Amino acid sequence: MNKSLPKNAKVVIIGGGVAGCSTAYHLGKYGWKDLVLLERDQLTSGSTWHAAGLVSQLGPSAAVTKIRKYSLELYKKLEKEVDFSSGLKLNGALSIATTKGRWQELLRQATTAQLYDVNVEVLNIDQIKKIYPVINEKGVYGGIFMPGDGQADPVGVTNLLAKAARNEGVKIFQNSPVQKILTKNGRVHGVKVKDQTIECEYVVLATGMWSRQIGEDMGINIPLYPAEHFYVITEPINDLPKDIPVLRDFDDSLYLKEDAGKMLIGIFEGKSIPAFNKTNRVPEDFSFGEFPENFEHFEPYLEASLKRVPILKKAGIRKFFAGPESFTPDTNTLLGEVPEVRNFFVCCGFNSIGIGSGGGAGKVTAEWIMNGHINEDLFIYDIKRFQKFHSEINFIKERITETLGDLYGMHWPYKQHKTSRNKKLFPYHEELKKAGACFGVSSGYERPLWFALNNAKPETKYSYNYQNWYPSVEFETKNARKNIGLFDLTAFSKYDLKGEKTHSELQKICTANIKNEIGKTTYTQMLNEDGGIETDLTVVCIDKNYFRIVTSAANREHDKFHILKYLSKEIEFKDVTEEFACLGVFGPKSRSLMSKLSNDDFSNKNFKFGTGKEIKINNNIIWAQRLSYVGELGFELYIKMKESTEIHKLIVDKGKELNLSHCGMFAMDTMRMEKGYLHWGHDMSPEENQYEAGLKFAISFKKNIDFVGKKAIEKIQNKKIKKMMVMLTLKNNKPGAPLLLHDEPIYCDGKIIGRTTSGNYSFNYEKNMSLGYINLNSSIKDLTKKTFFIEVEKKKYEAILLTKPLHDPENKIIKS
């Protein structure tokens, strides 16, 4: 045990749970030896000690599955290397379905698992009874069994990682609460502990449920909050098989695991109870802490467990546990560098599945710190997916009453949260509501997903089959292709950059040759140093030395962080997202409508595709640019927010003569796929490069500038790419049969050769569409002559490879 605190270190890790110990171990293993881990009390004393310890390999995405698989393999490996037990007991895990929707979800999970070499077996009732003989199979549709899953001892796992970290030279100090995290010039400078200062270059905050309040005290947004989390442990049960797998009965919000002849029964209920309600803060001295029993809250789930596993009726309860476990707004972990302070990283918010993913999360955190970026599609874990309001106490406390239950709740396609809604409304929100909008959240804004027809109720009925909003999207997409669609783009992220060196600096961070001419737009990407796609954006020159960047709504903090990482202080940077509404007027009659709204010249000669200019509508100065994410003739109108209600009303009123229709996000997503346009976060990420994504046209080697990622992309240019973005359509063209989403295996010659990234049904072309990546190797020579299949819910559907987009492949319409 180290006794004296050092005066400096390269990295200080705060928190001695599974996340902190894993991060420390991996940093040491990868060669950084000047490391200090500080634990305010004893290792595991926060929430790690009372975790159920379930380990499961399959996650909601490829990167998350990799993290979970790696965690399990790491624990196995380290047990041998450091001669210490983590209490691994891998009897497998069984998930059952008692509703049709859940059965479809499990079948989709089993299908996706094939992409990541996770062994998943689909079981019928008889097979379930063989591996779980004490189950009551009544009402069970079927189940999936993962033989490689199971459980571990949380304290054992943490101490295993701590021992391995010490072996790599990490200095671990217990009973060393950090008094203050020190910053200088917007960067981490050190920490104060026991009235001493340890200067450091990096800090990793792995403080679990304390993280939000630590961040709040520093002006850093870390959106998580603890809820009361419950399980019971029974008395010993004589007839309980010792080798039964972990059982998950999602529809009853239950998990059950055998524990030394006893049974642990845990829950992820639909409505949870926020902890520490009186102060909204976790006490600093809350170590190995528990809450009073709340049997009334737990009783309905206990009754459900007795019905599912009747043998439990023979046993009494030895231990009722209630303790805090922190949850995030979307039930996904928080990793990465925070946007507010440089070199300040987080590794927290594990949503009660920290043991199963802690090993891999620590590895990713270490790599992120050492490389300055990641080369995997991990945006769903990146803390920069959130904004300031997400960590405000009223938002996060209400949201976690729902997200705890989301862990076992149905993961429906297109599902929207019900809690903490209506936080950001457009000025014309009521007008959209009257028009029949069904709203979804995009970057905090309530944004129309689709518009109900014939005064129907604008409410999504969730399904893995035909969607109840299909008639609306059919009308919206067809009308936008035939007449005009009015799309709301206000949530798009918008940044204004000014200064004499703005253009030259944009040239350094963008791959395309940025047009330095007033009114010209440039579509481009920004890369990391390894050539991975970090952002997908449009740049427009509004005036001399004045440019605007427009990116995806969901990526606001992520993209802002990446841009500011490389911009000099000479550039005046301003996030103007909330200053301007943006309305998209798209369709063959859009030019006619614009001419009714304004006296400006909208002819093709004087307002070409890819250009922008100031126009006047009702004496309001508006920036208009001729671009269209749906692949139609159209105009994006950037309107001062206070003037947006007036302009919105005028567009709707004048548009009636030309059969204008409101269009939602679902229509836009369908139409962009018809045109073959990609979406960052689905079809591209840091895991792909521009050659793989089919975006090499957005790279300019002619500009004599060493842009970020250029060296890496030049090497890639001279090599054969390993995978390629393609578009497929099914031979079966019935909407919703099957429902194409993402992460479905693509087959050729009887083998999985890729995965889908986006899916939709085109009513204009009557096609089930998928975008996705296929692996390229010597056995696949002439792709157009091959037969492809896409697998959904363990059933294969024949697919056709398209060599060009369904809509306007020659770009004649969009440029007309």
Side-chain angles (χ1 to χ4, degrees):
M1 182 64 65
N2 304 102
K3 293 183 179 180
S4 58
L5 293 166
K7 292 184 179 179
N8 50 64
K10 191 170 186 70
V11 186
V12 170
I13 300 106
I14 307 174
V18 65
C21 290
S22 177
T23 302
Y25 162 72
H26 284 96
L27 282 168
K29 184 71 175 176
Y30 294 157
W32 283 18
K33 301 300 182 183
D34 190 11
L35 310 169
V36 170
L37 186 149
L38 301 172
E39 163 54 43
R40 64 185 178 86
D41 195 339
Q42 298 175 51
L43 299 183
T44 79
S45 62
S47 56
T48 295
W49 71 275
H50 64 68
L54 304 185
V55 288
S56 179
Q57 300 168 83
L58 188 60
S61 72
V64 175
T65 297
K66 288 176 190 173
I67 283 174
R68 293 184 183 178
K69 280 187 68 178
Y70 174 85
S71 298
L72 181 56
E73 294 306 315
L74 174 70
Y75 304 155
K76 291 179 184 177
K77 179 174 76 81
L78 289 182
E79 279 188 331
K80 296 175 182 177
E81 286 183 6
V82 303
D83 191 24
F84 192 94
S85 174
S86 65
L88 280 175
K89 184 181 176 183
L90 303 179
N91 290 339
L94 170 66
S95 298
I96 60 170
T98 59
T99 63
K100 182 185 176 185
R102 180 72 69 180
W103 183 227
Q104 289 180 280
E105 179 178 291
L106 293 185
L107 288 174
R108 283 177 179 262
Q109 288 182 7
T111 305
T112 300
Q114 298 169 123
L115 292 168
Y116 314 127
D117 296 321
V118 176
N119 185 13
V120 178
E121 301 170 10
V122 178
L123 306 183
N124 59 30
I125 300 298
D126 292 336
Q127 292 167 319
I128 289 171
K129 288 287 285 184
K130 282 182 181 178
I131 66 168
Y132 210 96
V134 294
I135 196 171
N136 172 10
E137 71 273 24
K138 186 177 180 182
V140 176
Y141 277 75
I144 60 172
F145 179 56
M146 287 151 281
D149 289 3
Q151 55 187 290
D153 170 30
V155 175
V157 168
T158 306
N159 282 303
L160 171 72
L161 290 164
K163 185 175 181 181
R166 288 190 182 101
N167 289 349
E168 297 296 339
V170 178
K171 300 179 182 72
I172 297 178
F173 296 89
Q174 300 186 80
N175 300 303
S176 301
V178 172
Q179 296 161 289
K180 190 174 183 180
I181 299 169
L182 308 173
T183 61
K184 183 185 287 185
N185 299 323
R187 303 177 78 90
V188 161
H189 175 61
V191 299
K192 187 177 180 183
V193 54
K194 293 183 178 179
D195 295 322
Q196 299 179 51
T197 296
I198 304 175
E199 293 186 359
C200 63
E201 294 180 42
Y202 298 88
V203 162
V204 179
L205 196 69
T207 49
M209 58 184 165
W210 285 271
S211 301
R212 194 198 74 86
Q213 63 203 50
I214 292 171
E216 184 179 45
D217 293 344
M218 296 179 65
I220 294 170
N221 303 297
I222 303 175
L224 57 74
Y225 194 83
E228 295 186 18
H229 196 39
F230 305 92
Y231 60 72
V232 299
I233 301 174
T234 70
E235 298 285 355
I237 305 171
N238 292 331
D239 300 329
L240 186 65
K242 299 295 187 291
D243 58 350
I244 56 173
V246 172
L247 175 65
R248 292 185 178 92
D249 182 353
F250 294 117
D251 295 316
D252 282 324
S253 308
L254 296 170
Y255 66 91
L256 299 93
K257 70 164 189 170
E258 188 273 334
D259 188 1
K262 304 178 286 293
M263 187 73 92
L264 184 149
I265 306 164
I267 63 171
F268 286 95
E269 68 275 31
K271 187 171 184 181
S272 69
I273 304 169
F276 308 110
N277 274 312
K278 289 184 179 179
T279 62
N280 295 331
R281 290 180 73 89
V282 184
E284 300 297 331
D285 60 352
F286 193 83
S287 297
F288 301 106
E290 299 184 40
F291 299 136
E293 294 183 7
N294 189 340
F295 194 76
E296 183 180 352
H297 184 81
F298 193 86
E299 188 175 20
Y301 305 98
L302 180 61
E303 289 178 1
S305 71
L306 299 182
K307 290 178 182 177
R308 184 57 60 206
V309 184
I311 197 174
L312 295 174
K313 295 175 183 177
K314 297 180 180 180
I317 294 175
R318 170 171 285 189
K319 169 72 176 174
F320 186 108
F321 177 80
E325 183 68 53
S326 60
F327 291 82
T328 64
D330 61 0
T331 328
N332 285 318
T333 301
L334 304 175
L335 300 180
E337 189 174 4
V338 303
E340 297 92 346
V341 177
R342 293 303 311 272
N343 292 359
F344 189 108
F345 285 76
V346 294
C347 184
C348 55
F350 283 90
N351 303 280
S352 197
I353 49 177
I355 304 304
S357 52
K363 172 181 180 285
V364 166
T365 302
E367 292 171 343
W368 212 324
I369 292 169
M370 297 175 81
N371 297 330
H373 61 269
I374 49 169
N375 293 321
E376 295 178 277
D377 182 8
L378 269 176
F379 185 63
I380 65 166
Y381 272 11
D382 191 340
I383 191 170
K384 293 178 286 297
R385 69 189 184 274
F386 292 119
Q387 298 175 37
K388 183 178 180 180
F389 74 92
H390 286 110
S391 63
E392 292 171 356
I393 196 65
N394 291 336
F395 178 95
I396 190 64
K397 275 188 74 174
E398 182 185 347
R399 174 56 63 82
I400 62 115
T401 63
E402 182 179 7
T403 54
L404 180 148
D406 280 347
L407 208 64
Y408 276 22
M410 281 295 300
H411 302 97
W412 292 114
Y414 313 106
K415 186 179 179 182
Q416 292 285 319
H417 284 110
K418 295 179 180 178
T419 53
S420 298
R421 292 292 297 268
N422 296 314
K423 298 299 180 182
K424 290 185 182 182
L425 303 179
F426 301 144
Y428 41 89
H429 176 81
E430 288 302 316
E431 283 75 7
L432 295 171
K433 196 173 177 180
K434 288 174 186 173
C438 178
F439 293 98
V441 178
S442 179
S443 192
Y445 284 106
E446 296 292 331
R447 191 175 182 186
L449 299 176
W450 52 279
F451 289 82
L453 301 172
N454 305 318
N455 297 314
K457 191 175 183 180
E459 184 176 271
T460 301
K461 295 177 181 176
Y462 295 122
S463 169
Y464 275 106
N465 301 106
Y466 183 92
Q467 302 293 303
N468 75 306
W469 41 263
Y470 272 173
S472 292
V473 169
E474 179 175 7
F475 171 72
E476 292 168 25
T477 56
K478 285 183 174 180
N479 193 68
R481 294 271 185 243
K482 182 181 178 183
N483 298 303
I484 316 173
L486 176 60
F487 293 80
D488 203 294
L489 314 176
T490 299
F492 278 9
S493 304
K494 304 173 278 285
Y495 319 111
D496 281 3
L497 287 74
K498 296 179 181 179
E500 287 186 15
K501 295 184 179 179
T502 304
H503 178 256
S504 62
E505 295 208 18
L506 282 170
Q507 291 281 62
K508 290 179 183 177
I509 59 177
C510 298
T511 61
N513 189 19
I514 304 302
K515 300 181 183 76
N516 191 16
E517 183 180 339
I518 295 171
K520 292 293 181 71
T521 68
T522 310
Y523 172 66
T524 184
Q525 285 81 46
M526 295 180 184
L527 310 179
N528 61 37
E529 284 82 354
D530 293 320
I533 302 172
E534 287 286 345
T535 70
D536 181 63
L537 60 145
T538 298
V539 181
V540 58
C541 180
I542 291 179
D543 206 340
K544 185 179 181 182
N545 300 324
Y546 175 16
F547 292 80
R548 177 171 294 154
I549 289 174
V550 182
T551 73
S552 168
N555 300 1
R556 184 175 175 183
E557 291 299 326
H558 171 275
D559 290 1
K560 187 194 305 186
F561 176 85
H562 182 81
I563 294 164
L564 291 173
K565 183 177 179 179
Y566 295 102
L567 274 190
S568 74
K569 292 182 179 179
E570 296 178 58
I571 307 301
E572 179 188 333
F573 177 94
K574 188 178 183 183
D575 184 337
V576 295
T577 301
E578 292 171 20
E579 293 183 21
F580 294 95
C582 183
L583 299 174
V585 179
F586 302 142
K589 296 181 181 177
S590 58
R591 184 177 283 125
S592 299
L593 176 57
M594 294 306 299
S595 298
K596 287 177 177 289
L597 295 168
S598 171
N599 292 324
D600 287 273
D601 187 347
F602 294 94
S603 66
N604 198 32
K605 180 181 178 182
N606 290 301
F607 204 150
K608 294 185 182 299
F609 174 75
T611 66
K613 64 181 180 181
E614 284 188 345
I615 64 169
K616 196 179 277 189
I617 300 179
N618 269 18
N619 291 318
N620 297 303
I621 303 297
I622 290 165
W623 179 262
Q625 51 195 45
R626 200 178 144 195
L627 294 171
S628 164
Y629 192 43
V630 302
E632 283 294 330
L633 167 67
F635 302 85
E636 295 176 354
L637 307 179
Y638 292 82
I639 309 154
K640 291 176 183 175
M641 201 67 87
K642 63 182 180 181
E643 298 168 359
S644 61
T645 302
E646 172 194 346
I647 303 301
H648 183 272
K649 185 178 186 302
L650 195 62
I651 291 171
V652 173
D653 289 346
K654 294 286 187 182
K656 288 177 183 176
E657 304 167 31
L658 298 166
N659 295 317
L660 176 142
S661 63
H662 286 282
C663 296
M665 284 300 299
F666 290 168
M668 174 173 279
D669 196 48
T670 300
M671 295 174 76
R672 67 97 184 171
M673 283 191 66
E674 291 172 341
K675 187 69 177 78
Y677 288 159
L678 308 187
H679 184 264
W680 194 94
H682 288 96
D683 312 307
M684 52 179 151
S685 73
E687 205 163 299
E688 288 81 36
N689 62 62
Q690 290 161 294
Y691 288 98
E692 294 169 336
L695 296 169
K696 66 179 181 180
F697 65 87
I699 307 170
S700 173
F701 290 115
K702 290 182 180 179
K703 64 176 183 178
N704 190 26
I705 291 170
D706 188 19
F707 58 81
V708 177
K710 182 179 181 179
K711 290 176 182 175
I713 210 78
E714 282 177 331
K715 291 178 183 177
I716 294 167
Q717 179 191 24
N718 297 320
K719 293 180 181 178
K720 185 180 178 182
I721 58 173
K722 295 179 181 178
K723 62 181 181 180
M724 179 177 71
M725 168 60 68
V726 296
M727 185 169 185
L728 298 161
T729 59
L730 297 188
K731 279 198 168 183
N732 173 16
N733 289 317
K734 195 175 178 182
L739 182 68
L740 295 176
L741 296 168
H742 51 78
D743 286 320
E744 295 118 352
I746 301 171
Y747 285 80
C748 184
D749 296 335
K751 296 179 181 178
I752 294 176
I753 62 155
R755 66 179 179 92
T756 63
T757 56
S758 292
N760 254 314
Y761 184 80
S762 166
F763 292 95
N764 283 299
Y765 295 92
E766 296 182 341
K767 302 283 187 186
N768 278 296
M769 307 177 289
S770 271
L771 292 172
Y773 287 95
I774 58 173
N775 303 319
L776 300 176
N777 55 52
S778 57
S779 65
I780 301 178
K781 292 181 179 177
D782 191 349
L783 293 173
T784 58
K785 294 179 180 178
K786 295 288 184 177
T787 301
F788 296 88
F789 293 87
I790 296 174
E791 186 175 2
V792 183
E793 296 176 22
K794 300 300 288 184
K795 184 178 178 182
K796 295 182 180 70
Y797 296 84
E798 189 172 344
I800 300 164
L801 180 73
L802 301 186
T803 56
K804 56 186 179 182
L806 291 170
H807 183 71
D808 191 24
E810 306 299 326
N811 289 326
K812 291 179 180 177
I813 294 173
I814 200 169
K815 293 184 177 181
S816 62

